[in-house]
Structure formats: structure tokens, C-alpha cells
Amino acid sequence: MADNPVRRGWLGHLTRRSVLAGAVASAAFPAVAATTSAATASPRSAAVPGMRTAQATGTTRRVTIYAEALPGGLFGYGLAPGEATIPGPLLEIVEGDTLEIELVNTTNQRLSIHPHGVDYDVFSDGAPFNDSFNEPGETRTYVWRSRERSTGGGRVWLPGTAGYWHYHDHALGGDHGTQGLQKGLYGGLIVRRKGDLLPDKTFVVVFNDMTINNKMAPEAPMFDSNLGERVEWLCIGHGSMEHTFHLHAHRWADTRTGYLDGPNDLTQAVDNKDLNPGSSFGFQVIAGEGVGAGAWMYHCHVQFHSDGGMAGIFLVRNEDGSIPDHAQEAIDRYHAHHGGLGDHSGHAG
Amino acid sequence: MADNPVRRGWLGHLTRRSVLAGAVASAAFPAVAATTSAATASPRSAAVPGMRTAQATGTTRRVTIYAEALPGGLFGYGLAPGEATIPGPLLEIVEGDTLEIELVNTTNQRLSIHPHGVDYDVFSDGAPFNDSFNEPGETRTYVWRSRERSTGGGRVWLPGTAGYWHYHDHALGGDHGTQGLQKGLYGGLIVRRKGDLLPDKTFVVVFNDMTINNKMAPEAPMFDSNLGERVEWLCIGHGSMEHTFHLHAHRWADTRTGYLDGPNDLTQAVDNKDLNPGSSFGFQVIAGEGVGAGAWMYHCHVQFHSDGGMAGIFLVRNEDGSIPDHAQEAIDRYHAHHGGLGDHSGHAG
Amino acid sequence: MADNPVRRGWLGHLTRRSVLAGAVASAAFPAVAATTSAATASPRSAAVPGMRTAQATGTTRRVTIYAEALPGGLFGYGLAPGEATIPGPLLEIVEGDTLEIELVNTTNQRLSIHPHGVDYDVFSDGAPFNDSFNEPGETRTYVWRSRERSTGGGRVWLPGTAGYWHYHDHALGGDHGTQGLQKGLYGGLIVRRKGDLLPDKTFVVVFNDMTINNKMAPEAPMFDSNLGERVEWLCIGHGSMEHTFHLHAHRWADTRTGYLDGPNDLTQAVDNKDLNPGSSFGFQVIAGEGVGAGAWMYHCHVQFHSDGGMAGIFLVRNEDGSIPDHAQEAIDRYHAHHGGLGDHSGHAG
């Protein structure tokens, strides 16, 4: 990455990734983020000159995750004691990798971790239905496996595990983790395919009932980038409400990656996409491409939801990292407006 | 099929298919299920060694369907008097086939049958709007046609009729069949393309308001398979609520079939998909592939809905048909828990 | 077009297009509709004999749009003073074109115009967040740009702007244009790709809360065609409710265009598709192909919504333009039934 999200300090989420990166550098931690190690080594693909791509390793990676109580009745997952965040740490692997997750439950509630998209046996299901959860104070290991695409015979092929997935509690307060989800026990999971382009930054956006990452405007996350950076969005839906994710001034191909696989890939472009409970998708865009630096809204396009606070900012700085005046004004307007109650007709939140 | 769903007795739906199979064998009935006749003849495709595939016949198939009142104020479609089920019988054809459906209305209500995905003229629309329905006690014939893909000129091609479709009442209690749908008048319709892989079993899952096939946990359908079987899911949405279908530990390609069409098919994989009113999709998975035998949950991922009872079991037995201990325990847990009210915090149903 | 929608008079929307066509002929207006100028010139593609296709021009087109108050507390966009409609005028360009929109706000409300799918800088965002809107009485120019697909390096390609998009107010009564949308400030935007087939007619269908184009049955729009015409549907979702669009007796490929790109395009066909707030899709079908002339329903398949009035008519006349008796009867039935309250059990509207 050209910049250091820790120093910038906008995003708790990216701060978490930097912990992973640091872990790799110090070897204090098993590496779970393929992109991070790739970034360290700066591999470059001959097929895509100048772009970093995911590399297959086929290894087993171990990580310890701490489920913790947070202020305000919330809960979070974290990579170290006292560092839980909402959403939890972004987990990244490459098809063929295995993740062994040691989940430490530091809370007084039953809870678990349940992934989407990857392989797991019944003992790693994370569902009380399969007796797979952590009692209060208990530590338990969950194993998630991934695999490449494979022939199923003749022209039939079976899809691999690559995708923009997620993980979440499936046990707190009930059989389906409804309370755990409401209170923040969720996070992003990316399984890359060998050769996938690696982004400069990844943003995790969770539409969870009437919140974005359990926040509402003007506290909704602001995602930060420089003009021309390749930024990746991982969008996840949770809760019991319907949502549509809209990003201003940017669009993406409705493919697994968000880009097209060559000139013969005719998949349509979208800039608004359903994001309903349990679903997820991801895409990469070049920040500000064709539209310039600025503060761009991302929001749920269900009008009642955006009015109610499901709207945040995608900041595209100038290439040198400075903030255009109009962008700073927009940021200030966002905070003043959403922070001030009752000062504008038609605004519910 | 390696086993006999009639003897097993889990699924009313599969029992219905066995009636079709029996009908084909005895010639007492016109065959509507291409897969069944294919299974009888055991054709094998050179392109997919060892796998059964759909064969085109281009014939007209006739079937009589009885719409009947069921206990509890429900209604159902059936292939013989007194044998109505919810969902109704699974109808299967191959592109090029025509279905002539003689609908016998044994009830005291106006009703009809309306298909998705196939061709029909206004007289077979099944909508009161087109004066197409059965008065109480009336018998009426509806004709559904299917066709292969065809060139529309140059590089433009028109899609064929192949798909995972469905049929439903469009007249009971109103112009849109809302009451008929609420009470159970719906079923699955599969139009296969020549060469499509035939499954070992097909499961029909209808998310209909807060029910699955008009049942709620612990009465929701349990779908039964042996490890390694090719099982097909036909998922249908009905009613007035939004849903997302999630299957634990299995994923599928988001294509027409659920599998990829060769190594160059880059369509993404999903394990959670919107299933809203009037929509349907289908896919095939290999039971327990990469994850093993077990009792796996399938459920609506809208949390309020899964808590409320929209959750069932996909049982993957051992290859020899025996049930692993952990799977039996999960089944028992499911029945005990969902059957016992008020015994678990956070559970609404 | 073989017929003149002005003379036919069914559709305010098509009347608007005829204004565009007239404008092109008289040169009184900048041309915004590529299809219209194409229709004038009747270009034919060698690749698709007998079919008109979109031609790239790479030009900047200017159009003035008037936002006006309408009776009943509604608002609309129009191409001339006093001619606002709901939806507003259909805007069509070809990838590479730029649209300069001079928006004249004739109302006493703050409002704007915000597009989906195209490029725009922060000053043309149409969002109060970016200080981009028209004060009452103000005229302001918004610039929308489009582009072709382009290589992003190696096998990675970036999607172009082609798509079935839309535009809407983002400022009336609040930060997200919720009131503007409720009251009718929206319209269709089509960006074609060079070589796309041009339709004989385009229908714009907006599911906006419980309305279709701010109308309910029996006032919902009736879309008119002759058997065999290539008709294009642009479907847009708005408001705060979930919808599914269903068209009787016709299906389309779930691609950008609704048709397949040759015999190797295996995209599935659909006849029911989610249409949620902020999303849009489009497709072309041949009117009555394989099913004949008739009055066909299109409706939201959420049962409560169709019962409540979200249902209209797609009229397919005979080839000579005459209306089959059964179609006229259906039209009469639709008007009598939906117009008469309380005369049918189970009907809410």
C-alpha cells in the first residue's frame, strides 16, 4: 500500500488489517492475509504487468480470534485481547488454503463463528443445531477449507471456493445468532483465486438492519482513498431487512471480481445491487476513475433507510493525498446535517 | 436412484415422483417426467461418461392434475384423486416438449394453474383477467409449450425455455391467486435442456410467506440423501415477504444449472441467494462433497424468519445409507428444540 | 417505427419520444435519442441483416429539462415547459456520448437530477451533500459522460457505461430525494453499446412504492404493441418497498440486453426479477412470440402489491394493428374490476 491506514486512522477495519500485516512482518502471528504477504513480497504477474496478483500456497494458516463484549451492549471479534472491532478482522485466503481458527470466547454468552462459502465439517458448523459453539469462556477450534475449481466430468465443472464471503456468529441468544449479529459479531472473508488482482485497499461494508457496520450517519464509516488507487469493496447484508447498496459515480461488472475477464466478457455493469441478509458480493474500482477526486456517497437506496442514517462517505483524495476543498465541505456538511436533528424537512434521522 | 424414496418415506414430494415413475412403467399414465423415463432407459452421454443426461423427444405429454381441498383449510394439486400434496407434483419436461394439463377442480372455489417460463396462449394463461380458470367442479385443459434456443439474426440468440420454473394458482379468492398460494396451490416445473445432467434426487423448497412448503420448524421438510449423490434443489419464492435461501456447507455456481460449463465459465459461486415472490432458481450439488455426511441446515437467512421457523434439515447419510450419530443427534435436537416452546432465550418460534 | 405512438395515444411516455423524434426532424432540439436519429436514417448492420443497431458517434448532446409541479401534488420532468410527465423523458445515448442537461427548476422546491450508470463529477452529482442541486427557480447544468469498455491491463477489462439505467431527483424535501421520488421525479436512461439492436418501441416501468409510474390499477400504464414487434422494457425500482417484476407469457435472457450473444452464451432465462429501490434492468422481447396476440399482464409478484394495484396490461395486437376480441374483453375486465370496489372477494384494491 502506498499509505499506512494506521497513521491515517480513519478505519478501524484497516487498522485491523495493519495488525495482520505487522504480524506477518514480525512472524508473531500466523499469516491469514494472502494479500498482505503478497504485498510484502511485491510479486508481479507476467500476465498483468505492474499489478499484484494473488498467489496460491495451499497451506494451512492458524489464527486466534477473541470474541469480546464491547461498550453499549455490543460484541466483536478481534485478533488480540482488547482489540475487538465491528466488523471483525478481514480474513483473506487463496483457493487451496485452510484456515484453522481458534475462537476464544471471553464473554458470558454462548456464541460461535460460522463462515459462508468455504468447506467445513459438522464440528465446525458453528450452529447449535450441530452442537458446534463456544460456551462462555470456552476456546474451540473451527476449520475452514477452500479448493480450486474442478472437473465434474465432461463439460461439467464444479465451482471453486473463491468469492467475497463473510463469517458471523450463529449461536448468541438463539439458534441462528440473531442477537450476535445485531450486536456486531460478523466480519468479511475473502477467498481469492490464483491470479486475482490484489487491491490497494479493502473496505468492508455491512448493511445490518438499519445500520452500516452497526453505525448510523453521521457515524457511518468514511472510506478513504487516493485518486487512482484500486479499492475493493466487500458488501455484506445481515439482519431482517432488505437493502440495496449504491455507490455514487462508480460502477462495476456484476462478476465475481467486479471486473471483466477480457473483451469477450459481456457481463453487465451495475452501480446498485441487492444486499439482503446472508448475502455478500465484492468488486474493485479505481477510485475516482473518470469522475475525479471528491467525497462520494455510498448508501442504501431504500429511501427510508438512507433517510434514516444508512449513508456514508467514500472519500477520493487527490493523488498526492490532499483533500479537495469541495470534498472537505461535503464531509463537514455530512457531519453537520446528520448530526443536527430536526433542522431539515424530509429527513428522518 | 440407489434408493427408493417410497420406502424411505421422508418426502411426500419424492413419493409423488415415484408415482410418476410407476406410471411410466405401467403405461397407465402419460409420462411427464423426462428424467424418469431417462432413468428407466439409463441413457449415458458420451460427453459425460457415467452421468445420465436429459434427452430431447419433442413430444406432447398429457397429465391430469386434481386440485383438492386438504385438511386445515389448505389446498393442493395431485396426480390422482385424494393424493394432493403441498407442493404439488414436480413436472419435468425437456425443451421442445409440450405439456397438456387437464386440471380437475374438485373444490368449491374458483382456481387455476399458471406456469412460469413456458409458452402458453391467452386461453391457458390461468388468470381471471383472461377468463382462464376453472369454476368449482370444472375441468379445463391448459397447454404449456417449450422450445430450444434459436437465432434471432446475426449474433443475437433468443433464450430457450430451459429453467427451474414453477406453477401456481392465479384465481383463488382474487385476480392474482393470493389465497390459493397461501393455502398451498403451487409446485415445481423443470424444463431441461438436452444434455443437462440428471440428478439422483430433486428437492422442491418453497419459501411461502413465513413457511417452507406451508410448514414451519420442526415440521419443515427434511431432505434426505446419501453421501456423494447428485441432488438437485428447486427453490421457489411466494407470498408477500422477502427471503434469502441459505444452505450450509454447500455452494453452487450462479448459473442456470448450478454447475459451470467448462473451465472457461467464470460465473461466481453462491451459498445464499434472494428468493422473492414469483422467482425461482435451481442447482445441483454433490451431497456432502468436501464436508462429509451430516445433518446440514437450510434456512431463510432473514433472521426474523429463521428464528420464526423457516429452517429445515438437509440430511447427508453415509454412503451406505446409515445415519451418523452426530446427524441423528442434530435431528433430535431440531425436533426437541423447535417443538418445545419457551425453552430457549432468543428463539421466537 | 411502423406506427405513430402520438396518433395511438396510449402512452404519455412514447408521446415524449415522439417529441424527441420531431425535434430531430426539425432540428429545433438537440438530439438525445440515438435510436431516434438511427430510426430516421434507418441504418442496417451487416452483422444483423434487417435489424437496426446503435451507432457510435462520440458527440456531446445538449438537452433542456424542465422540472415542474403537476396536479395532485406531483412533480415531473419534461422536455418543454408545460409538458412534464411521470416518468420523465426517456434519455438515450450511445457509449462515448456526453449529455449536457440544462435543468430548469420551475417549482418552488429545491430539487436536482442524479443519474445512475454514467460518469459525472461532484458538481453534477445532484446531491445536496455535494452542494449540487437547483434552488427554486434556478437553472443549472449537469454533465453526464459515457465510455466504452477498456483494458485494465492483461486479461482485466473495465466495464463500459452501456446499460439500462435511470435518473431521479436527489434533493426534494431531503438529502436523498425521497419526496421527489414519491412525487414523480424520475425517468429512464439507456446507454447503448455500438451494435446493440434497436427496438421498435421502449416501455419504461417504474415500481415506485405501491405504484407503477405513480399510477395504480386500473390506471396503471397499458403498453401497446403489434404482434412481432421488438419491444424493449426498461424496469426501474424506487421508494422503500421490495418488488419483483413479472411479465406473462414472455421471458428474456438475464443479460445486459435481454438476448443472448450467440449460441455459446448460456445465461439463464427469467420471467420474474427483483426490482428493488435504485435498481434497474432492461430487456427486449418479440411481442407475442410463440404465444400470440393478446392482453398480457405485467405485475409485481409480491402478492400484496399486485392485489393492491401494481398490475397493468401489455397489449399485443394482431400484426395489422387490430385488437383481438379476447384482448378487448380482458382490457374491459381489467378496467371494470379494478375500478369497481368491493365487488370481488380477496381483492384489496
Side-chain angles (χ1 to χ4, degrees):
Chain A
M1 290 175 213
D3 45 35
N4 186 334
V6 177
R7 268 183 279 135
R8 183 170 294 158
W10 287 111
L11 294 170
H13 159 62
L14 283 177
T15 305
R16 301 306 318 134
R17 281 189 74 185
S18 72
V19 170
L20 283 174
V24 170
S26 69
F29 246 72
V32 297
T35 57
T36 306
S37 59
T40 304
S42 288
R44 288 171 185 278
S45 159
V48 190
M51 293 185 186
R52 296 180 300 122
T53 60
Q55 307 297 319
T57 61
T59 58
T60 295
R61 300 166 184 276
R62 300 190 68 251
V63 61
T64 300
I65 293 181
Y66 299 82
E68 302 189 317
L70 293 171
L74 300 176
F75 290 85
Y77 296 113
L79 291 171
E83 302 210 352
T85 51
I86 301 175
L90 174 64
L91 303 179
E92 299 180 38
I93 58 176
V94 179
E95 279 183 340
D97 291 348
T98 292
L99 261 183
E100 281 188 22
I101 294 177
E102 185 181 56
L103 179 65
V104 182
N105 182 2
T106 72
T107 80
N108 61 0
Q109 300 287 313
R110 180 185 85 170
L111 52 76
S112 73
I113 191 165
H114 165 79
H116 279 241
V118 292
D119 289 339
Y120 50 85
D121 66 22
V122 290
F123 307 106
S124 293
D125 189 17
F129 168 71
N130 267 321
D131 200 28
S132 172
F133 58 86
N134 295 49
E135 294 285 5
E138 188 184 7
T139 294
R140 183 180 177 120
T141 298
Y142 299 80
V143 181
W144 304 346
R145 294 181 303 278
S146 67
R147 50 178 149 139
E148 299 184 352
R149 297 183 301 150
S150 57
T151 177
R155 66 171 172 80
V156 172
W157 278 61
L158 304 174
T161 313
Y164 288 95
W165 306 106
H166 58 101
Y167 61 86
H168 62 87
D169 169 61
H170 208 302
L172 200 158
D175 289 346
H176 297 278
T178 301
Q179 288 186 32
L181 283 163
Q182 284 173 342
K183 293 163 185 284
L185 287 172
Y186 53 76
L189 168 64
I190 299 178
V191 183
R192 301 194 189 276
R193 181 159 293 158
K194 179 184 167 184
D196 279 356
L197 286 189
L198 298 178
D200 294 309
K201 290 176 178 167
T202 301
F203 307 140
V204 179
V205 186
V206 186
F207 281 9
N208 186 24
D209 285 333
M210 282 292 285
T211 77
I212 302 174
N213 299 3
N214 274 57
K215 304 277 190 186
M216 299 173 80
E219 305 301 329
M222 178 164 74
F223 298 111
D224 195 349
S225 69
N226 286 0
L227 185 68
E229 284 188 314
R230 175 174 292 275
V231 298
E232 176 177 70
W233 297 73
L234 168 49
C235 303
I236 302 165
H238 275 309
S240 294
M241 304 172 76
E242 53 139 5
H243 301 291
T244 54
F245 173 87
H246 176 48
L247 176 60
H248 278 222
H250 297 75
R251 80 204 64 81
W252 61 93
D254 195 15
T255 60
R256 176 180 64 85
T257 58
Y259 48 79
L260 300 173
D261 190 71
N264 295 322
D265 184 344
L266 300 176
T267 307
Q268 64 200 103
V270 294
D271 71 357
N272 197 84
K273 192 172 160 79
D274 291 344
L275 187 55
N276 290 318
S279 288
S280 57
F281 61 87
F283 60 90
Q284 297 180 358
V285 292
I286 306 302
E289 187 189 37
V291 300
W296 299 106
M297 304 189 78
Y298 71 92
H299 60 85
C300 181
H301 215 298
V302 175
Q303 296 298 134
F304 177 74
H305 299 181
S306 50
D307 282 346
M310 295 189 72
I313 299 174
F314 171 36
L315 175 60
V316 180
R317 296 167 181 248
N318 295 316
E319 269 190 278
D320 65 5
S322 61
I323 300 182
D325 287 348
H326 55 72
Q328 188 58 58
E329 289 162 15
I331 294 168
D332 295 344
R333 204 175 287 123
Y334 171 79
H335 285 104
H337 182 189
H338 281 276
L341 297 175
D343 62 346
H344 201 294
S345 63
H347 195 284
Chain B
M1 289 176 213
D3 45 35
N4 185 334
V6 177
R7 269 183 277 135
R8 182 172 294 158
W10 287 111
L11 295 170
H13 160 62
L14 283 178
T15 304
R16 300 308 317 135
R17 279 189 74 185
S18 71
V19 169
L20 283 175
V24 170
S26 69
F29 245 73
V32 296
T35 57
T36 306
S37 58
T40 303
S42 288
R44 287 170 186 280
S45 158
V48 189
M51 294 186 187
R52 295 179 301 121
T53 59
Q55 307 298 317
T57 60
T59 58
T60 295
R61 301 167 183 276
R62 301 191 68 249
V63 61
T64 301
I65 293 182
Y66 299 83
E68 302 189 318
L70 293 171
L74 300 176
F75 290 84
Y77 296 112
L79 290 171
E83 303 210 352
T85 52
I86 299 175
L90 174 63
L91 303 179
E92 300 180 38
I93 58 175
V94 178
E95 279 183 340
D97 292 347
T98 293
L99 262 182
E100 280 189 22
I101 294 176
E102 185 182 57
L103 179 65
V104 181
N105 181 3
T106 72
T107 80
N108 61 0
Q109 300 286 313
R110 181 184 84 170
L111 53 75
S112 74
I113 191 165
H114 166 79
H116 279 238
V118 292
D119 289 339
Y120 50 85
D121 65 22
V122 290
F123 307 107
S124 292
D125 188 16
F129 168 70
N130 266 321
D131 201 28
S132 172
F133 58 84
N134 295 48
E135 294 285 4
E138 188 184 7
T139 294
R140 183 180 176 122
T141 298
Y142 298 80
V143 181
W144 304 345
R145 293 182 303 278
S146 67
R147 50 179 151 137
E148 299 184 351
R149 298 184 300 153
S150 58
T151 178
R155 68 172 170 80
V156 172
W157 278 62
L158 304 173
T161 313
Y164 287 95
W165 307 106
H166 59 99
Y167 61 86
H168 63 85
D169 170 60
H170 208 302
L172 200 158
D175 289 347
H176 297 278
T178 301
Q179 289 187 30
L181 283 163
Q182 285 173 342
K183 292 163 184 284
L185 287 173
Y186 53 76
L189 168 65
I190 299 178
V191 182
R192 301 193 190 278
R193 183 159 292 159
K194 179 184 166 182
D196 280 356
L197 285 188
L198 297 178
D200 294 311
K201 289 175 180 168
T202 302
F203 307 139
V204 179
V205 186
V206 186
F207 281 9
N208 186 24
D209 286 332
M210 282 291 286
T211 77
I212 301 173
N213 298 3
N214 275 57
K215 305 276 190 188
M216 299 174 80
E219 306 300 331
M222 178 162 75
F223 298 111
D224 195 349
S225 68
N226 286 0
L227 186 69
E229 283 188 315
R230 176 174 291 276
V231 298
E232 177 176 70
W233 297 71
L234 167 50
C235 303
I236 302 165
H238 275 310
S240 294
M241 304 172 75
E242 52 140 6
H243 300 292
T244 55
F245 173 87
H246 176 48
L247 177 60
H248 278 222
H250 297 74
R251 80 204 64 81
W252 61 94
D254 195 14
T255 60
R256 176 180 63 86
T257 58
Y259 48 80
L260 300 172
D261 191 71
N264 295 322
D265 184 345
L266 299 175
T267 307
Q268 65 200 102
V270 295
D271 72 356
N272 197 83
K273 191 172 161 79
D274 292 343
L275 187 55
N276 290 319
S279 287
S280 57
F281 61 86
F283 61 89
Q284 296 180 359
V285 292
I286 307 302
E289 186 188 36
V291 299
W296 299 106
M297 305 189 77
Y298 72 92
H299 61 84
C300 181
H301 214 298
V302 175
Q303 297 297 132
F304 177 74
H305 298 181
S306 51
D307 283 345
M310 295 189 72
I313 299 173
F314 171 35
L315 174 60
V316 180
R317 297 166 180 250
N318 295 316
E319 266 189 280
D320 65 4
S322 61
I323 300 182
D325 287 349
H326 55 72
Q328 187 60 56
E329 289 162 14
I331 294 169
D332 294 344
R333 205 175 288 121
Y334 171 79
H335 285 106
H337 181 188
H338 280 277
L341 296 177
D343 62 347
H344 201 293
S345 64
H347 195 283
Chain C
M1 291 176 211
D3 45 36
N4 186 333
V6 178
R7 269 183 277 133
R8 182 172 293 159
W10 287 111
L11 295 171
H13 159 60
L14 283 178
T15 305
R16 300 308 317 136
R17 280 188 74 184
S18 71
V19 168
L20 283 173
V24 170
S26 69
F29 245 73
V32 297
T35 57
T36 307
S37 58
T40 304
S42 288
R44 288 171 185 280
S45 159
V48 190
M51 293 184 186
R52 296 178 301 121
T53 59
Q55 307 298 317
T57 61
T59 57
T60 295
R61 302 167 183 276
R62 301 191 67 251
V63 61
T64 301
I65 294 182
Y66 299 82
E68 301 189 318
L70 293 171
L74 300 175
F75 290 84
Y77 297 113
L79 291 171
E83 303 210 351
T85 53
I86 300 174
L90 174 64
L91 303 179
E92 300 180 38
I93 58 175
V94 179
E95 279 183 339
D97 291 348
T98 293
L99 260 183
E100 281 189 22
I101 293 177
E102 185 182 57
L103 179 64
V104 182
N105 181 4
T106 72
T107 80
N108 61 0
Q109 300 286 314
R110 179 185 84 169
L111 52 76
S112 73
I113 190 164
H114 165 80
H116 279 240
V118 291
D119 289 339
Y120 49 86
D121 65 23
V122 290
F123 307 106
S124 292
D125 189 16
F129 168 70
N130 267 321
D131 200 29
S132 171
F133 58 86
N134 296 49
E135 294 285 5
E138 189 184 6
T139 294
R140 184 180 176 122
T141 298
Y142 299 80
V143 181
W144 305 345
R145 293 181 302 278
S146 66
R147 49 177 151 142
E148 299 184 351
R149 296 184 300 151
S150 57
T151 178
R155 66 170 170 80
V156 172
W157 278 61
L158 304 173
T161 313
Y164 287 95
W165 306 106
H166 58 101
Y167 62 87
H168 62 87
D169 170 60
H170 208 303
L172 199 158
D175 288 348
H176 296 277
T178 301
Q179 289 187 29
L181 283 164
Q182 285 173 342
K183 294 165 183 285
L185 287 173
Y186 52 77
L189 168 64
I190 299 177
V191 182
R192 302 194 189 277
R193 182 159 292 158
K194 178 184 167 183
D196 280 356
L197 286 189
L198 297 178
D200 294 310
K201 289 174 181 168
T202 301
F203 307 140
V204 179
V205 185
V206 185
F207 281 8
N208 186 23
D209 286 332
M210 283 291 285
T211 77
I212 302 174
N213 298 4
N214 274 58
K215 303 278 191 186
M216 299 174 80
E219 305 301 330
M222 179 163 74
F223 297 111
D224 195 350
S225 67
N226 287 0
L227 185 68
E229 283 187 315
R230 176 174 291 275
V231 298
E232 176 176 71
W233 297 72
L234 168 49
C235 302
I236 302 164
H238 275 309
S240 293
M241 304 172 77
E242 51 138 7
H243 300 292
T244 55
F245 173 87
H246 176 49
L247 177 59
H248 279 223
H250 297 74
R251 82 204 61 82
W252 61 95
D254 195 14
T255 60
R256 176 180 63 86
T257 58
Y259 48 79
L260 300 172
D261 191 71
N264 296 322
D265 184 343
L266 300 175
T267 307
Q268 64 200 103
V270 294
D271 72 356
N272 197 82
K273 192 172 162 79
D274 292 343
L275 187 55
N276 290 320
S279 288
S280 56
F281 61 86
F283 60 89
Q284 296 181 358
V285 292
I286 307 302
E289 187 189 36
V291 300
W296 299 105
M297 304 188 79
Y298 72 92
H299 60 86
C300 181
H301 214 299
V302 174
Q303 297 297 134
F304 177 73
H305 299 182
S306 51
D307 282 345
M310 294 189 72
I313 299 173
F314 171 34
L315 174 60
V316 180
R317 298 166 180 249
N318 295 316
E319 267 190 279
D320 64 4
S322 61
I323 300 181
D325 288 348
H326 55 71
Q328 187 59 57
E329 289 162 14
I331 294 168
D332 294 344
R333 204 176 287 121
Y334 171 80
H335 285 105
H337 182 190
H338 280 275
L341 296 175
D343 63 347
H344 201 293
S345 64
H347 194 283

